[in-house]
Amino acid sequence: MKFAVMGGDMRQVKLAELLTLDGHEVFAFALDKAALSEDIKAAEISKKELEKAECVILPLPAVVNGDYINAPLSVSEYKLEDVLACVDSSSLICAGMVSERLRQRAAEKRLEIRDYFAREEFAVLNAVSTVEGAMEIIIKEMPINLCSSNCLVLGFGRIGKIISHRLKGCGANVTVSARKCSDFAWIEAYGYKWVHTGNIASVISDYDVIINTIPAKVLKTAQLSRIKRGSLCLDLASKPGGIDFDAASHLGVKAIWALGLPGKVSPVSAGAVIKNTIYNILVEQERFEDG
Ligand code: NAP
């Protein structure tokens, strides 16, 4: 197939390389600051170039500042409107975190768009990279061994499940916060302790590291003021995050907000996850043969 890989960070660069290794023809757009392998054809964003692509891959997130393609590895800025005007109506656009505006603009131009970020297989495997990045930060920032330390994981979704498993594997004492009875049962079944997310404040003083995965402000002054001196608070939740960082700084709590970890710690694996998710979409669309 002919793919256009546009914008994004090192994940998109690695994705472009992986697609060429699978034998596809790959055109790279808005990646002019990256060192691309010679099999990838760097191209200018124009109708002539973009309409060749059967699948246009936009980055994660696809759009920044409302109207611009997310292109940190390009010296130029690209308006969403101008890019969509160059895409052929037979092409499929695959993008990460599709905003309402992008969805609307694509619909107006009768362009088909799919969000790979919204797919479960992407979210689960992306969580693996996120957790490896988080473990690196925890080990680097903690003055004590993870083994025998007391770890509190807030949230038992994809990242919460995987990080609890990894921490336990390192010999840590793991407690997980959740709010559903079914989650409490699973947490117990895995051999961790549980606490209701609404009751974090009453137990938080016991922990050496607190890892938040809940995309809501769960660590405010009431909770942060009880954290013991020297403990680490790591927020993995996307904006607006789960920690009141102003309160943490005022209280002298060591708090780190670590975003975009997959692209930073494992761009090849993160690129492979995007590639495999896009292949799944293409197979479902019958644009691509399975296997
Ligand atoms: P997830 O599977 O949806 O899990 C979210 C967890 O938070 C669930 O346990 C959920 O509980 C709980 N939760 C949500 N809203 C809550 C609220 N208002 N009060 C209490 N609990 C609440 O999400 P995920 O895939 O693990 O991702 C977690 C966060 O990390 C997201 O913000 C995601 O965008 C972000 N993320 C960060 C990185 C990074 O590099 N840092 C990478 C990927 C994703 P229920 O099941 O009861 O709703």
Side-chain angles (χ1 to χ4, degrees):
M1 277 186 76
K2 290 188 175 67
F3 285 91
V5 175
M6 186 180 299
D9 54 26
M10 283 310 289
R11 282 175 286 195
Q12 288 277 102
V13 174
K14 296 299 168 190
L15 165 68
E17 285 173 10
L18 292 169
L19 288 167
T20 59
L21 288 174
D22 283 352
H24 300 292
E25 198 173 346
V26 179
F27 300 86
F29 300 87
L31 285 169
D32 35 276
K33 286 201 268 181
L36 298 171
S37 84
E38 55 191 32
D39 298 331
I40 301 166
K41 301 173 183 87
E44 293 291 319
I45 294 179
S46 66
K47 196 162 178 55
K48 181 169 162 274
E49 296 292 344
L50 259 180
E51 68 182 4
K52 291 181 197 161
E54 294 159 278
C55 179
V56 176
I57 305 178
L58 298 183
L60 170 65
V63 173
V64 287
N65 305 328
D67 265 334
Y68 290 86
I69 297 294
N70 172 25
L73 293 179
S74 174
V75 289
S76 310
E77 289 189 329
Y78 303 93
K79 277 197 105 171
L80 175 62
E81 198 75 28
D82 299 340
V83 169
L84 293 184
C86 299
V87 178
D88 192 81
S89 59
S90 66
S91 305
L92 175 70
I93 302 175
C94 290
M97 276 188 182
V98 175
S99 62
E100 202 37 50
R101 200 182 194 93
L102 170 54
R103 202 173 288 286
Q104 267 174 15
R105 293 280 178 275
E108 283 161 17
K109 296 190 178 338
R110 297 184 185 284
L111 294 170
E112 205 171 341
I113 187 159
R114 292 283 176 275
D115 190 347
Y116 52 80
F117 183 79
R119 292 178 65 104
E120 188 62 16
E121 75 269 34
F122 175 85
V124 171
L125 295 174
N126 200 48
V128 172
S129 298
T130 306
V131 167
E132 291 201 10
M135 295 294 287
E136 182 188 354
I137 296 170
I138 294 166
I139 291 168
K140 191 165 148 247
E141 297 292 335
M142 278 210 339
I144 57 169
N145 288 340
L146 255 180
C147 187
S148 300
S149 69
N150 292 332
C151 302
L152 177 61
V153 176
L154 308 181
F156 197 56
R158 305 173 193 102
I159 297 177
K161 286 184 178 75
I162 298 170
I163 200 159
S164 300
H165 182 70
R166 300 285 189 269
L167 291 168
K168 178 103 175 154
C170 289
N173 304 310
V174 179
T175 302
V176 185
S177 99
R179 58 180 175 177
K180 295 197 295 249
C181 299
S182 56
D183 280 347
F184 299 144
W186 277 110
I187 292 165
E188 207 172 305
Y190 280 116
Y192 320 129
K193 288 191 198 151
W194 61 263
V195 57
H196 194 289
T197 301
N199 293 336
I200 297 167
S202 62
V203 299
I204 205 161
S205 59
D206 293 340
Y207 295 92
D208 303 305
V209 56
I210 298 120
I211 301 131
N212 177 56
T213 74
I214 300 176
K217 282 272 176 298
V218 285
L219 292 179
K220 299 189 239 176
T221 302
Q223 292 78 21
L224 294 166
S225 59
R226 296 183 184 206
I227 292 177
K228 67 178 174 188
R229 190 153 280 284
S231 292
L232 171 68
C233 248
L234 179 62
D235 196 358
L236 299 176
S238 300
K239 287 175 190 162
I243 299 178
D244 180 341
F245 282 91
D246 289 339
S249 147
H250 184 67
L251 293 162
V253 172
K254 184 172 187 179
I256 298 174
W257 196 0
L259 293 177
L261 290 175
K264 290 175 190 154
V265 299
S266 46
V268 175
S269 301
V273 172
I274 297 175
K275 186 197 81 167
N276 291 334
T277 308
I278 289 171
Y279 281 1
N280 293 344
I281 294 170
L282 292 170
V283 169
E284 284 166 17
Q285 292 243 323
E286 296 181 358
R287 289 173 184 256
F288 195 57
E289 272 179 37
D290 205 354

